[in-house]
Amino acid sequence: MTLVSVALVLGLALGQHVPAPDNHAHGHPTADVHAAPAPAAPHGGGHQATLPETMMHHVANGSVMELPGFCEGGFKWNCEIDLVKATGGGWKFQVGKVTIDMTPSKHVVMMLLSAALLTLLLVVAARKRSIVPHGLYNFVELLVDFVRGIAISNIGKADADRFVPYLCTAFFFVLTMNLLGLVPFMATATANISVTAALALFTFFITQYAALKSMGVKGYLGHMTGGVPPSLAWLWPIMIPVEFLGLFTKPFALTIRLFANMVAGHFVILALLGLIFAVSVWVAPVSVALALGIFMLELFVAFVQAYIFTMLSALFIGAGLVHHGHDEGHDDDHGHAATGEAVHASHAAGKSPGHG
Amino acid sequence: MNALASPVIAAGIMDLNPGLSLWTAITFLVLIGVLWKFAFGPITRMLAERETTIRDAIDSARTEREEAEKLLAKQKEALAKAQRDAAELAKRNQQEMEAFRVQLTAQARKEADDMVAAARKSIQEERKIAVAQLRAEVADLAVSAAARIVKSSLDEKTQRQLVDEYIKDLPAGRA
């Protein structure tokens, strides 16, 4: 989380150096984020975006992709592809009073691209599997075995293999989206809270399903009292809301952790590069060197966050499955789950310096 | 706080976009299905299979080694026994040969002694025969000498002298 605060402080500091966009009309907060151009290539309209605006524009979702290519009669680094125009737009439907807009955005495209790449890579690799592994399959198998190790240590040997395909998919999908976000001209789909929330919901549902299946409805509801026996039933009005909230804090933590970490890295890189425009061109060597360092860190973080997402998913699933047959373990289970989480949180912090 | 969060809110990165979430859910669901069927299912099975294969291989190698060691011990024992047997046999053979040689030597000596004894005996007998023959010859010779003396009609004196000489010349030891 330190990177997030660093990013925000840097952003604020830069915001003071650059004139505020007083003449620019913001109709809706999200309406024209993609109208803000990159600082290096000012838009024709004569409007200079502030650095925070540019940074937000870079990280946020949008309906315009900017890719290098030939357009408007020549080569440009930021040829705009308007996805609303390209798809015809208006892929909307109504659920009750909520309108759901399914028109593909930048992050949808990145996500589909990741999924396609991943499918291609893994299916090709899996076709070459053999008892004596080699080449691409060997590498894929290494990662699968790594995830399987996470599953076995958090869920237990007996049940782990049922969840390995889900955990592997989560790991590879998050990893691919994280890494694609580091490729120039691409965007980070995992730096979008809507994406990470949907991913965390899968873990949530699988956790609840696994817990229900292993404990039964009665055991599941019994767990909601936090292991407080009926003799202390007057504590239940406190315990039950706490336990109920506990169900949702886990996927919420998954959502925010992945989202914030991916946003933070990009913010720091952008802020460092933004110093060149905000301060002087003479800070460029330092800025670029630091940004490069952060970029290397981001490569590492891409793996670490995929690992943490997978590991915490496995941990939650494993905690839901806990029933070792000993009855006094009810109370124990709880202590175990709570300390387990605490341990793993610190573990996660240790694994990602500055990202815990 | 408001000032700090405002650029974030302004860009809408904290907005929940149900369409995007739905896209994510669909993509993720399809991805789980496809990869489960074509990649992770088979790979997980392969990992389990390899685990089994390796465990089996190690187990069978251990069993085979134990068997081989047992066999080797047996072979060594058999070899030692064979060597012991051979040595014993050779020893016994040597003893038998020695005994046979002793026996053979004794027999040969006895035969030789017998032969010597027989030879001596036959020589003795031959000698007896020869002596008897000689004695008869001598008597004949005496008679013939006497006859010759008689024939030559010598005087008495001479006759006596002759007989005496003759007798004197006869070998001693005669009975």
Side-chain angles (χ1 to χ4, degrees):
Chain A
M1 287 303 142
T2 41
L3 266 190
V4 180
S5 42
V6 167
L8 286 173
V9 168
L10 269 174
L12 274 180
L14 292 170
Q16 286 166 354
H17 283 93
V18 182
D22 46 357
N23 59 343
H24 192 68
H26 276 280
H28 186 270
T30 57
D32 55 0
V33 276
H34 52 83
H43 219 248
H47 156 245
Q48 283 282 349
T50 62
L51 271 174
E53 261 184 332
T54 308
M55 283 161 62
M56 285 304 152
H57 166 67
H58 180 89
V59 173
N61 197 6
S63 62
V64 177
M65 296 190 75
E66 290 167 342
L67 296 169
F70 290 94
C71 57
E72 295 169 21
F75 179 82
K76 278 183 75 179
W77 285 105
N78 58 340
C79 282
E80 293 186 358
I81 300 170
D82 193 331
L83 291 166
V84 177
K85 273 187 204 155
T87 58
W91 297 22
K92 294 175 185 175
F93 62 91
Q94 202 85 21
V95 180
K97 283 183 183 171
V98 185
T99 310
I100 297 180
D101 186 357
M102 295 282 284
T103 311
S105 58
K106 196 161 70 171
H107 284 167
V108 171
V109 172
M110 292 318 298
M111 195 166 64
L112 293 176
L113 184 62
S114 310
L117 274 176
L118 200 53
T119 309
L120 190 72
L121 182 85
L122 290 177
V123 171
V124 165
R127 285 170 77 98
K128 286 189 182 150
R129 65 184 184 279
S130 69
I131 282 287
V132 183
H134 54 87
L136 180 64
Y137 173 69
N138 200 356
F139 176 68
V140 170
E141 205 197 70
L142 183 84
L143 292 176
V144 172
D145 199 38
F146 172 68
V147 175
R148 192 163 171 252
I150 299 172
I152 286 173
S153 61
N154 287 301
I155 300 177
K157 186 105 177 112
D159 297 305
D161 275 352
R162 278 192 293 145
F163 299 101
V164 167
Y166 166 71
L167 294 172
C168 280
T169 311
F171 178 78
F172 279 92
F173 194 35
V174 171
L175 179 63
T176 317
M177 287 194 285
N178 289 354
L179 288 177
L180 268 191
L182 294 172
V183 177
F185 303 106
M186 303 274 157
T188 321
T190 38
N192 190 311
I193 203 161
S194 306
V195 173
T196 57
L199 294 176
L201 270 183
F202 274 83
T203 294
F204 173 73
F205 285 127
I206 287 175
T207 307
Q208 301 315 312
Y209 169 75
L212 263 175
K213 209 179 165 196
S214 87
M215 293 193 282
V217 177
K218 214 178 150 193
Y220 182 82
L221 292 177
H223 229 72
M224 294 299 287
T225 63
V228 174
S231 55
L232 290 171
W234 57 272
L235 277 174
W236 286 5
I238 306 170
M239 293 311 295
I240 292 173
V242 168
E243 283 294 316
F244 187 73
L245 272 180
L247 292 180
F248 301 100
T249 50
K250 290 169 186 173
F252 185 71
L254 278 183
T255 306
I256 299 297
R257 181 178 287 113
L258 182 55
F259 156 74
N261 275 290
M262 296 327 291
V263 170
H266 286 253
F267 270 9
V268 172
I269 292 176
L270 288 169
L272 286 168
L273 293 180
L275 285 174
I276 301 170
F277 302 97
V279 180
S280 149
V281 81
W282 296 107
V283 301
V286 179
S287 283
V288 170
L290 284 175
L292 191 64
I294 298 293
F295 187 90
M296 299 292 177
L297 183 65
E298 279 303 290
L299 278 177
F300 176 63
V301 167
F303 279 91
V304 169
Q305 288 307 318
Y307 163 74
I308 288 177
F309 190 92
T310 313
M311 198 267 294
L312 288 178
S313 294
L315 182 74
F316 296 156
I317 293 170
L321 281 177
V322 170
H323 69 132
H324 299 297
H326 52 98
D327 247 352
E328 90 285 349
H330 227 62
D331 206 40
D332 261 348
D333 281 353
H334 254 269
H336 172 227
T339 50
E341 221 187 317
V343 164
H344 274 284
S346 60
H347 178 57
K351 283 271 175 183
S352 60
H355 277 257
Chain B
M1 186 64 211
N2 208 13
L4 206 144
S6 65
V8 178
I9 301 296
I13 76 174
M14 292 298 284
D15 288 354
L16 263 179
N17 179 346
L20 182 52
S21 291
L22 201 56
W23 267 112
T24 312
I26 294 167
T27 314
F28 197 35
L29 204 60
V30 171
L31 205 59
I32 291 173
V34 170
L35 294 184
W36 194 316
K37 176 126 178 48
F38 294 106
F40 297 133
I43 291 174
T44 313
R45 277 197 295 281
M46 177 62 73
L47 284 172
E49 191 187 326
R50 177 167 323 130
E51 225 166 69
T52 325
T53 313
I54 290 173
R55 191 175 302 129
D56 286 357
I58 290 173
D59 281 354
S60 77
R62 192 176 295 139
T63 321
E64 272 164 25
R65 201 185 139 168
E66 272 167 18
E67 257 166 42
E69 272 172 2
K70 242 181 259 171
L71 217 64
L72 188 67
K74 218 183 273 179
Q75 292 282 351
K76 266 185 188 162
E77 202 182 320
L79 194 65
K81 190 168 176 287
Q83 269 171 350
R84 251 191 340 264
D85 284 359
E88 202 178 317
L89 209 65
K91 204 170 141 194
R92 199 190 303 157
N93 210 4
Q94 209 176 349
Q95 281 171 346
E96 272 174 18
M97 284 301 288
E98 185 64 30
F100 189 57
R101 194 176 66 81
V102 169
Q103 189 191 340
L104 216 61
T105 315
Q107 199 179 339
R109 186 163 296 148
K110 187 166 166 272
E111 269 173 20
D113 288 352
D114 285 357
M115 271 164 78
V116 169
R120 202 164 278 156
K121 198 175 162 191
S122 81
I123 288 168
Q124 208 74 25
E125 272 169 18
E126 296 273 325
R127 193 179 158 217
K128 262 181 202 160
I129 293 165
V131 168
Q133 278 177 348
L134 196 61
R135 198 170 287 168
E137 196 101 349
V138 167
D140 283 354
L141 281 174
V143 170
S144 78
R148 222 180 290 167
I149 291 161
V150 170
K151 260 182 209 162
S152 57
S153 318
L154 291 171
D155 56 84
E156 199 182 332
K157 195 183 158 196
T158 317
Q159 246 175 324
R160 172 127 338 247
Q161 195 185 346
L162 273 173
V163 172
D164 283 346
E165 276 171 14
Y166 184 73
I167 285 170
K168 209 172 88 187
D169 287 350
L170 277 175
R174 110 170 246 187

